[in-house]
Amino acid sequence: MRIMMTLLGNAPTAPIDAYLAKANAHVITSLRLAEDGAIASLIGDTITIERTTSALRAVWILDVPSRTFAIELARNAPGDDGTLEIRESYTPADFGAPEEPTPPPPPTKPGNLRYVAFIRTDHVAENGAPPDPKTLARMDEYCAPLAASGTMLGGEGLKSSARGARIRRSAAQRFVLDGPFTESKELVGGYMLVQAHSLDDVLELIRPWLVIHKEGARVDQSHIEVRRLLDDDRSLVVGA
């Protein structure tokens, strides 16, 4: 199964990378998030931009045998600060498509930087069902030219937080909290990896995604957080 593991907090990420390299998990993507970024919000018909970011600091996309394995993987990860969150990703098999080898990502164009955009969702809006066919078709139409131009480097949608878990770390202690995360006002519902000249360019290109999510999820507002990736990130993945 495909999972996204995120780190919230300022714990060092290098020890986790070394640990994952030795564990029985296939690391597809390892991303380090710079502190600079922004949150774009669509409320009603108005889009606003806040030059602020969440506590997210790193993302790993992994293939693991099971959810239980993923939780134990996070529980045993080194570090004494922050929270590791496990979320299951959608794959082509979830939509009846055959599994295919992941193609290599397009090269980064001269003058471009790499960014990750996280669509946010609310636990109240989570129903455990995959996106409806109309929303999927709209996302395919939106993403197709971005992928064809090499702007979009990858991305995946995430399943309900009811299938996830959080491992809170404090010194040597580990506290495992199973989803759903009903105390969270905003959850990551999916992500997209892109390359662009600037943060403002990314904020412009994700505007249609805000609309698609708001209308598809039938919510009164939608939010996307954009973060620049640090230069030492490993290879990117073109997701499902």
Side-chain angles (χ1 to χ4, degrees), residues 190-230:
Y191 69 94
M192 181 187 299
L193 298 162
V194 301
Q195 58 173 314
H197 286 294
S198 68
L199 175 62
D200 287 337
D201 287 345
V202 182
L203 293 171
E204 186 65 29
L205 72 84
I206 54 92
R207 284 174 175 262
W209 191 11
L210 284 167
V211 177
I212 293 169
H213 177 261
K214 179 174 177 290
E215 296 177 354
R218 298 180 181 179
V219 292
D220 60 1
Q221 56 187 269
S222 59
H223 309 272
I224 294 177
E225 179 178 359
V226 178
R227 300 285 290 278
R228 181 175 60 83
L229 300 182
L230 296 175

Short mmCIF file of all heavy atoms in Angstrom, two decimals, residues 190-230:
data_model
loop_
_atom_site.label_atom_id
_atom_site.label_comp_id
_atom_site.label_asym_id
_atom_site.label_seq_id
_atom_site.Cartn_x
_atom_site.Cartn_y
_atom_site.Cartn_z
N GLY A 190 -4.64 15.86 -0.07
CA GLY A 190 -3.88 15.45 -1.24
C GLY A 190 -2.76 16.43 -1.48
O GLY A 190 -2.69 17.48 -0.83
N TYR A 191 -1.87 16.10 -2.40
CA TYR A 191 -0.75 16.99 -2.67
C TYR A 191 -0.40 16.96 -4.15
O TYR A 191 -0.76 16.03 -4.89
CB TYR A 191 0.48 16.58 -1.85
CG TYR A 191 1.09 15.26 -2.27
CD1 TYR A 191 2.16 15.22 -3.17
CD2 TYR A 191 0.58 14.06 -1.79
CE1 TYR A 191 2.70 14.00 -3.58
CE2 TYR A 191 1.13 12.85 -2.19
CZ TYR A 191 2.17 12.83 -3.08
OH TYR A 191 2.70 11.61 -3.49
N MET A 192 0.28 18.02 -4.59
CA MET A 192 0.76 18.12 -5.96
C MET A 192 2.17 18.70 -5.93
O MET A 192 2.43 19.68 -5.23
CB MET A 192 -0.16 19.02 -6.78
CG MET A 192 0.26 19.17 -8.25
SD MET A 192 -0.76 20.40 -9.14
CE MET A 192 -2.39 19.66 -9.00
N LEU A 193 3.06 18.09 -6.69
CA LEU A 193 4.43 18.56 -6.82
C LEU A 193 4.57 19.29 -8.15
O LEU A 193 4.16 18.77 -9.20
CB LEU A 193 5.42 17.39 -6.78
CG LEU A 193 5.43 16.60 -5.47
CD1 LEU A 193 6.08 15.23 -5.67
CD2 LEU A 193 6.15 17.37 -4.39
N VAL A 194 5.12 20.50 -8.12
CA VAL A 194 5.24 21.31 -9.33
C VAL A 194 6.60 21.99 -9.38
O VAL A 194 7.32 22.06 -8.38
CB VAL A 194 4.12 22.38 -9.41
CG1 VAL A 194 2.75 21.74 -9.41
CG2 VAL A 194 4.25 23.38 -8.27
N GLN A 195 6.92 22.50 -10.55
CA GLN A 195 8.08 23.37 -10.69
C GLN A 195 7.62 24.68 -11.32
O GLN A 195 6.75 24.71 -12.19
CB GLN A 195 9.18 22.72 -11.54
CG GLN A 195 8.76 22.32 -12.95
CD GLN A 195 9.95 21.84 -13.77
OE1 GLN A 195 11.02 22.47 -13.78
NE2 GLN A 195 9.78 20.73 -14.46
N ALA A 196 8.21 25.77 -10.83
CA ALA A 196 7.81 27.10 -11.30
C ALA A 196 8.92 28.09 -10.98
O ALA A 196 9.85 27.79 -10.23
CB ALA A 196 6.50 27.53 -10.65
N HIS A 197 8.80 29.28 -11.54
CA HIS A 197 9.81 30.32 -11.31
C HIS A 197 9.72 30.91 -9.91
O HIS A 197 10.71 31.33 -9.34
CB HIS A 197 9.67 31.45 -12.34
CG HIS A 197 10.15 31.07 -13.71
ND1 HIS A 197 11.47 30.81 -13.99
CD2 HIS A 197 9.48 30.93 -14.87
CE1 HIS A 197 11.60 30.51 -15.27
NE2 HIS A 197 10.41 30.58 -15.83
N SER A 198 8.49 30.95 -9.35
CA SER A 198 8.32 31.62 -8.07
C SER A 198 7.11 31.08 -7.34
O SER A 198 6.24 30.40 -7.92
CB SER A 198 8.16 33.13 -8.29
OG SER A 198 6.92 33.40 -8.93
N LEU A 199 7.03 31.42 -6.05
CA LEU A 199 5.87 31.07 -5.25
C LEU A 199 4.61 31.69 -5.82
O LEU A 199 3.54 31.05 -5.86
CB LEU A 199 6.10 31.53 -3.80
CG LEU A 199 4.94 31.37 -2.82
CD1 LEU A 199 4.56 29.91 -2.64
CD2 LEU A 199 5.29 32.01 -1.48
N ASP A 200 4.70 32.93 -6.28
CA ASP A 200 3.52 33.59 -6.85
C ASP A 200 3.00 32.85 -8.07
O ASP A 200 1.79 32.78 -8.29
CB ASP A 200 3.85 35.03 -7.22
CG ASP A 200 4.00 35.93 -6.00
OD1 ASP A 200 3.43 35.58 -4.94
OD2 ASP A 200 4.69 36.96 -6.09
N ASP A 201 3.91 32.29 -8.88
CA ASP A 201 3.48 31.51 -10.05
C ASP A 201 2.69 30.28 -9.62
O ASP A 201 1.68 29.92 -10.24
CB ASP A 201 4.69 31.07 -10.88
CG ASP A 201 5.31 32.22 -11.66
OD1 ASP A 201 4.65 33.27 -11.78
OD2 ASP A 201 6.46 32.08 -12.12
N VAL A 202 3.13 29.62 -8.55
CA VAL A 202 2.42 28.43 -8.06
C VAL A 202 1.05 28.83 -7.51
O VAL A 202 0.05 28.15 -7.75
CB VAL A 202 3.24 27.70 -6.98
CG1 VAL A 202 2.50 26.44 -6.52
CG2 VAL A 202 4.62 27.34 -7.50
N LEU A 203 1.01 29.93 -6.77
CA LEU A 203 -0.27 30.39 -6.22
C LEU A 203 -1.27 30.70 -7.33
O LEU A 203 -2.48 30.53 -7.16
CB LEU A 203 -0.05 31.62 -5.34
CG LEU A 203 0.73 31.37 -4.05
CD1 LEU A 203 1.08 32.69 -3.37
CD2 LEU A 203 -0.07 30.49 -3.09
N GLU A 204 -0.76 31.13 -8.47
CA GLU A 204 -1.64 31.40 -9.61
C GLU A 204 -2.14 30.10 -10.24
O GLU A 204 -3.33 29.97 -10.55
CB GLU A 204 -0.90 32.24 -10.65
CG GLU A 204 -1.75 32.69 -11.82
CD GLU A 204 -2.87 33.64 -11.42
OE1 GLU A 204 -2.71 34.38 -10.42
OE2 GLU A 204 -3.93 33.62 -12.08
N LEU A 205 -1.24 29.12 -10.40
CA LEU A 205 -1.65 27.91 -11.11
C LEU A 205 -2.54 27.00 -10.27
O LEU A 205 -3.24 26.13 -10.83
CB LEU A 205 -0.43 27.16 -11.64
CG LEU A 205 0.50 26.40 -10.68
CD1 LEU A 205 -0.02 25.01 -10.38
CD2 LEU A 205 1.90 26.29 -11.31
N ILE A 206 -2.57 27.14 -8.93
CA ILE A 206 -3.42 26.27 -8.12
C ILE A 206 -4.83 26.86 -7.93
O ILE A 206 -5.69 26.22 -7.28
CB ILE A 206 -2.77 25.94 -6.76
CG1 ILE A 206 -2.36 27.21 -5.98
CG2 ILE A 206 -1.58 25.02 -6.95
CD1 ILE A 206 -3.41 27.71 -5.06
N ARG A 207 -5.09 28.03 -8.47
CA ARG A 207 -6.43 28.63 -8.33
C ARG A 207 -7.55 27.70 -8.82
O ARG A 207 -8.58 27.55 -8.14
CB ARG A 207 -6.48 29.97 -9.06
CG ARG A 207 -5.78 31.11 -8.32
CD ARG A 207 -5.72 32.38 -9.14
NE ARG A 207 -5.15 33.48 -8.39
CZ ARG A 207 -5.86 34.42 -7.76
NH1 ARG A 207 -7.19 34.39 -7.84
NH2 ARG A 207 -5.27 35.38 -7.08
N PRO A 208 -7.43 27.06 -9.99
CA PRO A 208 -8.50 26.15 -10.41
C PRO A 208 -8.71 24.98 -9.45
O PRO A 208 -9.83 24.51 -9.28
CB PRO A 208 -8.02 25.66 -11.78
CG PRO A 208 -7.10 26.73 -12.26
CD PRO A 208 -6.40 27.22 -11.05
N TRP A 209 -7.63 24.53 -8.81
CA TRP A 209 -7.74 23.42 -7.87
C TRP A 209 -8.60 23.82 -6.67
O TRP A 209 -9.40 23.03 -6.16
CB TRP A 209 -6.34 22.98 -7.43
CG TRP A 209 -6.30 21.69 -6.67
CD1 TRP A 209 -7.31 20.78 -6.51
CD2 TRP A 209 -5.18 21.15 -5.97
NE1 TRP A 209 -6.88 19.72 -5.75
CE2 TRP A 209 -5.59 19.92 -5.40
CE3 TRP A 209 -3.87 21.59 -5.76
CZ2 TRP A 209 -4.72 19.12 -4.65
CZ3 TRP A 209 -3.01 20.81 -5.02
CH2 TRP A 209 -3.43 19.58 -4.48
N LEU A 210 -8.44 25.05 -6.21
CA LEU A 210 -9.28 25.55 -5.12
C LEU A 210 -10.76 25.44 -5.47
O LEU A 210 -11.58 25.02 -4.65
CB LEU A 210 -8.93 27.00 -4.80
CG LEU A 210 -7.65 27.28 -4.01
CD1 LEU A 210 -7.32 28.77 -4.07
CD2 LEU A 210 -7.78 26.83 -2.57
N VAL A 211 -11.09 25.83 -6.69
CA VAL A 211 -12.49 25.80 -7.13
C VAL A 211 -12.99 24.37 -7.25
O VAL A 211 -14.10 24.04 -6.80
CB VAL A 211 -12.64 26.55 -8.46
CG1 VAL A 211 -14.09 26.46 -8.96
CG2 VAL A 211 -12.22 28.01 -8.32
N ILE A 212 -12.19 23.51 -7.87
CA ILE A 212 -12.60 22.11 -8.06
C ILE A 212 -12.85 21.44 -6.72
O ILE A 212 -13.84 20.72 -6.53
CB ILE A 212 -11.53 21.34 -8.85
CG1 ILE A 212 -11.44 21.88 -10.28
CG2 ILE A 212 -11.84 19.84 -8.88
CD1 ILE A 212 -10.25 21.36 -11.07
N HIS A 213 -11.97 21.68 -5.75
CA HIS A 213 -12.14 21.06 -4.44
C HIS A 213 -13.38 21.61 -3.73
O HIS A 213 -14.16 20.85 -3.15
CB HIS A 213 -10.91 21.29 -3.57
CG HIS A 213 -11.05 20.74 -2.19
ND1 HIS A 213 -11.39 21.52 -1.11
CD2 HIS A 213 -10.93 19.48 -1.71
CE1 HIS A 213 -11.46 20.78 -0.03
NE2 HIS A 213 -11.19 19.54 -0.36
N LYS A 214 -13.56 22.91 -3.76
CA LYS A 214 -14.70 23.53 -3.07
C LYS A 214 -16.02 23.00 -3.62
O LYS A 214 -16.93 22.64 -2.86
CB LYS A 214 -14.63 25.04 -3.21
CG LYS A 214 -15.78 25.81 -2.56
CD LYS A 214 -15.52 27.30 -2.65
CE LYS A 214 -16.68 28.11 -2.08
NZ LYS A 214 -17.88 28.03 -2.96
N GLU A 215 -16.11 22.92 -4.94
CA GLU A 215 -17.36 22.47 -5.55
C GLU A 215 -17.51 20.96 -5.46
O GLU A 215 -18.61 20.44 -5.22
CB GLU A 215 -17.42 22.94 -7.00
CG GLU A 215 -17.47 24.47 -7.12
CD GLU A 215 -17.45 24.95 -8.55
OE1 GLU A 215 -17.29 24.11 -9.47
OE2 GLU A 215 -17.60 26.17 -8.76
N GLY A 216 -16.41 20.23 -5.63
CA GLY A 216 -16.48 18.77 -5.59
C GLY A 216 -16.77 18.22 -4.21
O GLY A 216 -17.53 17.26 -4.06
N ALA A 217 -16.17 18.84 -3.19
CA ALA A 217 -16.40 18.41 -1.81
C ALA A 217 -17.65 19.03 -1.20
O ALA A 217 -18.04 18.68 -0.09
CB ALA A 217 -15.18 18.74 -0.95
N ARG A 218 -18.25 19.99 -1.92
CA ARG A 218 -19.46 20.67 -1.47
C ARG A 218 -19.25 21.31 -0.10
O ARG A 218 -20.02 21.12 0.83
CB ARG A 218 -20.64 19.69 -1.44
CG ARG A 218 -20.98 19.12 -2.81
CD ARG A 218 -22.14 18.17 -2.75
NE ARG A 218 -22.43 17.63 -4.08
CZ ARG A 218 -23.40 16.73 -4.34
NH1 ARG A 218 -24.17 16.31 -3.34
NH2 ARG A 218 -23.59 16.28 -5.56
N VAL A 219 -18.16 22.08 -0.04
CA VAL A 219 -17.85 22.82 1.18
C VAL A 219 -17.92 24.30 0.87
O VAL A 219 -17.92 24.71 -0.29
CB VAL A 219 -16.45 22.43 1.72
CG1 VAL A 219 -16.45 21.00 2.22
CG2 VAL A 219 -15.37 22.61 0.64
N ASP A 220 -17.98 25.12 1.92
CA ASP A 220 -18.12 26.56 1.69
C ASP A 220 -16.80 27.28 1.51
O ASP A 220 -16.78 28.47 1.20
CB ASP A 220 -18.92 27.21 2.82
CG ASP A 220 -18.28 27.03 4.18
OD1 ASP A 220 -17.19 26.40 4.25
OD2 ASP A 220 -18.85 27.50 5.18
N GLN A 221 -15.68 26.55 1.70
CA GLN A 221 -14.36 27.16 1.49
C GLN A 221 -13.33 26.08 1.26
O GLN A 221 -13.52 24.92 1.65
CB GLN A 221 -13.97 28.03 2.68
CG GLN A 221 -13.98 27.32 4.02
CD GLN A 221 -13.74 28.28 5.15
OE1 GLN A 221 -12.61 28.51 5.56
NE2 GLN A 221 -14.84 28.85 5.67
N SER A 222 -12.24 26.44 0.61
CA SER A 222 -11.14 25.50 0.39
C SER A 222 -9.82 26.22 0.58
O SER A 222 -9.72 27.44 0.41
CB SER A 222 -11.21 24.87 -1.01
OG SER A 222 -11.15 25.86 -2.03
N HIS A 223 -8.79 25.44 0.95
CA HIS A 223 -7.49 26.01 1.29
C HIS A 223 -6.37 25.13 0.72
O HIS A 223 -6.45 23.91 0.78
CB HIS A 223 -7.32 26.10 2.81
CG HIS A 223 -8.46 26.77 3.51
ND1 HIS A 223 -8.51 28.13 3.71
CD2 HIS A 223 -9.59 26.26 4.05
CE1 HIS A 223 -9.63 28.43 4.35
NE2 HIS A 223 -10.31 27.32 4.56
N ILE A 224 -5.35 25.77 0.20
CA ILE A 224 -4.16 25.06 -0.31
C ILE A 224 -2.93 25.74 0.27
O ILE A 224 -2.76 26.95 0.15
CB ILE A 224 -4.09 25.07 -1.85
CG1 ILE A 224 -5.24 24.27 -2.45
CG2 ILE A 224 -2.74 24.50 -2.32
CD1 ILE A 224 -5.28 24.28 -3.97
N GLU A 225 -2.07 24.93 0.89
CA GLU A 225 -0.79 25.43 1.39
C GLU A 225 0.30 25.10 0.39
O GLU A 225 0.40 23.95 -0.06
CB GLU A 225 -0.44 24.81 2.74
CG GLU A 225 0.91 25.28 3.29
CD GLU A 225 1.24 24.71 4.66
OE1 GLU A 225 0.43 23.95 5.21
OE2 GLU A 225 2.35 25.04 5.16
N VAL A 226 1.10 26.07 0.03
CA VAL A 226 2.21 25.89 -0.92
C VAL A 226 3.52 26.08 -0.18
O VAL A 226 3.70 27.07 0.54
CB VAL A 226 2.12 26.89 -2.09
CG1 VAL A 226 3.31 26.71 -3.04
CG2 VAL A 226 0.80 26.71 -2.84
N ARG A 227 4.45 25.14 -0.38
CA ARG A 227 5.76 25.22 0.27
C ARG A 227 6.86 24.94 -0.76
O ARG A 227 6.74 24.04 -1.60
CB ARG A 227 5.86 24.19 1.40
CG ARG A 227 4.83 24.37 2.49
CD ARG A 227 5.16 25.54 3.38
NE ARG A 227 6.32 25.24 4.21
CZ ARG A 227 6.25 24.53 5.34
NH1 ARG A 227 5.08 24.05 5.77
NH2 ARG A 227 7.33 24.32 6.05
N ARG A 228 7.93 25.71 -0.66
CA ARG A 228 9.09 25.44 -1.51
C ARG A 228 9.84 24.23 -0.96
O ARG A 228 9.90 24.01 0.25
CB ARG A 228 10.02 26.66 -1.54
CG ARG A 228 11.26 26.47 -2.42
CD ARG A 228 12.06 27.76 -2.50
NE ARG A 228 12.53 28.22 -1.21
CZ ARG A 228 13.64 27.76 -0.61
NH1 ARG A 228 14.37 26.82 -1.18
NH2 ARG A 228 14.01 28.26 0.57
N LEU A 229 10.40 23.43 -1.87
CA LEU A 229 11.19 22.27 -1.47
C LEU A 229 12.65 22.66 -1.36
O LEU A 229 13.16 23.44 -2.17
CB LEU A 229 11.03 21.13 -2.48
CG LEU A 229 9.62 20.60 -2.68
CD1 LEU A 229 9.63 19.45 -3.67
CD2 LEU A 229 9.00 20.15 -1.37
N LEU A 230 13.33 22.12 -0.37
CA LEU A 230 14.75 22.36 -0.22
C LEU A 230 15.53 21.63 -1.30
O LEU A 230 15.09 20.62 -1.84
CB LEU A 230 15.22 21.93 1.18
CG LEU A 230 14.61 22.72 2.34
CD1 LEU A 230 15.05 22.14 3.67
CD2 LEU A 230 14.99 24.19 2.25
#
